[in-house]
Structures are given as structure tokens and as C-alpha cells.
């Protein structure tokens, strides 16, 4: 998907394009009454090798997070559990489980949109990526943060309204 150049503009455009793919997956999750979180994993050449979205409610599985699904698909595509050289784009700051999975799969770069003040493990609660696991992952937060946050806020506002808790913001 990359244009082959290394200018700052092209790299930013590609990052945004990948996050927009993750946002589309998040919208699919919301349409399926799941928390709207989406994730894509891109290899070193810019090819999307893994996609995922939340499916916890549908699967009745606590581990059915977008990042776990995307990592599983990327490992199958790579034919290896090591995803060295890969970048992860996820609409919400990963929880401890997903941060750990990114570390253990050796994701090189992680880009997230919205921060998660309840379970965020890239700095909001804890930064697991700062621990000495023998793997270094570069973290960049805030990519399309407003769009990612708005999607999450609207979903949970509608969920509260449907459950009789009012449409509080």
C-alpha cells in the first residue's frame, strides 16, 4: 500500500489509511453490538496481514478482542508466531492482555487511537511496553484519536440509553 517514498507526508498518510481500516472494523463491531474496537496488522512491506474486531459478546469469550484476532490472522499469514517488522493499528489503547500479546508476538510498532483510562496498558494505567521483556515495541498514541473516541463514546452513550441509564455524555 505504500508509495515507495520515505517522505514524512507519505508515512503519515499511510498511518492514517491503516487506522481508517481499523475504524471500519470497529464500525462493523458496533453494528454487531460489540464494543467498537478494530485492529489491523501491517507487515514491513505495507501489506495488511491481519485484521480483527471485538467479538466478546458474540463469542462469549473474554479473549475475543480485536488485537488477538488480528495477531492470530497475521501469524497464520506469516507462518510464524514472530511478527517482527510488523506494525499494529488499533482504535483503542490495548488492555494488558492485548499489550502482552503484542509484546509476545514481537510487534515492532503499535499505533493506537483513543486512550483507555480503565484498562489502557500503553501508559494510561500502566505501560507494559516499558518493562524489560527483551522485546522493544515503539508506541504512538493519538492517531485519529478524535474519530476513534467519538465512535466509542457514541456506542456507549447509545448502550446506556437502550438500557435505561439515560444518554449521559
Amino acid at each position: 500500500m505504500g508509495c515507495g517514498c520515505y517522505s514524512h507526508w507519505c508515512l503519515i498518510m499511510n498511518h492514517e489509511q491503516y487506522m481508517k481500516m481499523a475504524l471500519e472494523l470497529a464500525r462493523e463491531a458496533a453494528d454487531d453490538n460489540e464494543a467498537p474496537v478494530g485492529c489491523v496488522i501491517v507487515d514491513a512491506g505495507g501489506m495488511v496481514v491481519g485484521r480483527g474486531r471485538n467479538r466478546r459478546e458474540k463469542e462469549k469469550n473474554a479473549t475475543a478482542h480485536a488485537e488477538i484476532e488480528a495477531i492470530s490472522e497475521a501469524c497464520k499469514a506469516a507462518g510464524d508466531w514472530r511478527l517482527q517488522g510488523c506494525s499494529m493499528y488499533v482504535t483503542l489503547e490495548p488492555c494488558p492482555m492485548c499489550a502482552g500479546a503484542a509484546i509476545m508476538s514481537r510487534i515492532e510498532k503499535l499505533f493506537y487511537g483513543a486512550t483507555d483510562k480503565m484498562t489502557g496498558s500503553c501508559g494510561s494505567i500502566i505501560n507494559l511496553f516499558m518493562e524489560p521483556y527483551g522485546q522493544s515495541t515503539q508506541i504512538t498514541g493519538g492517531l485519529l484519536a478524535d474519530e476513534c473516541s467519538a465512535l466509542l463514546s457514541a456506542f456507549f452513550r447509545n448502550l446506556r440509553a437502550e438500557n435505561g441509564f439515560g444518554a449521559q455524555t
Side-chain angles (χ1 to χ4, degrees), residues 97-130:
M97 174 182 65
C98 294
I103 291 166
M104 298 310 292
S105 63
R106 300 185 177 158
I107 295 285
E108 186 174 307
K109 296 177 184 175
L110 189 150
F111 299 87
Y112 67 89
T115 58
D116 185 347
K117 300 295 183 194
M118 293 177 56
T119 65
S121 294
C122 296
S124 289
I125 301 296
I126 189 171
N127 188 343
L128 290 179
F129 296 93
M130 296 299 292

Side-chain angles (χ1 to χ4, degrees), residues 15-16 41-42 62 70 72 97 104 113 122 131 134 151 163 165 169:
H15 293 316
E16 289 181 0
I41 297 177
V42 179
S72 293
M97 174 182 65
M104 298 310 292
C122 296
E131 300 301 321
L151 181 60
N163 290 323
F165 294 110
T169 56

Side-chain angles (χ1 to χ4, degrees), residues 30-151:
D31 290 345
D32 206 18
N33 294 317
E34 297 281 353
V37 180
C39 180
V40 297
I41 297 177
V42 179
D43 69 13
M47 182 187 307
V48 175
V49 293
R51 293 174 179 82
R53 65 180 188 83
N54 273 6
R55 296 178 197 271
R56 287 191 311 175
E57 300 300 329
K58 186 175 185 175
E59 301 288 330
K60 307 293 185 218
N61 182 343
T63 65
H65 286 209
E67 299 94 325
I68 302 300
E69 188 171 276
I71 288 170
S72 293
E73 188 174 291
C75 288
K76 286 178 188 165
D80 196 351
W81 61 269
R82 296 169 194 87
L83 297 177
Q84 292 167 316
C86 290
S87 297
M88 175 184 282
Y89 295 82
V90 61
T91 58
L92 181 64
E93 179 182 3
C95 71
M97 174 182 65
C98 294
I103 291 166
M104 298 310 292
S105 63
R106 300 185 177 158
I107 295 285
E108 186 174 307
K109 296 177 184 175
L110 189 150
F111 299 87
Y112 67 89
T115 58
D116 185 347
K117 300 295 183 194
M118 293 177 56
T119 65
S121 294
C122 296
S124 289
I125 301 296
I126 189 171
N127 188 343
L128 290 179
F129 296 93
M130 296 299 292
E131 300 301 321
Y133 291 113
Q135 162 61 24
S136 178
T137 302
Q138 179 184 340
I139 308 299
T140 303
L143 184 60
L144 299 182
D146 291 343
E147 194 171 344
C148 294
S149 295
L151 181 60

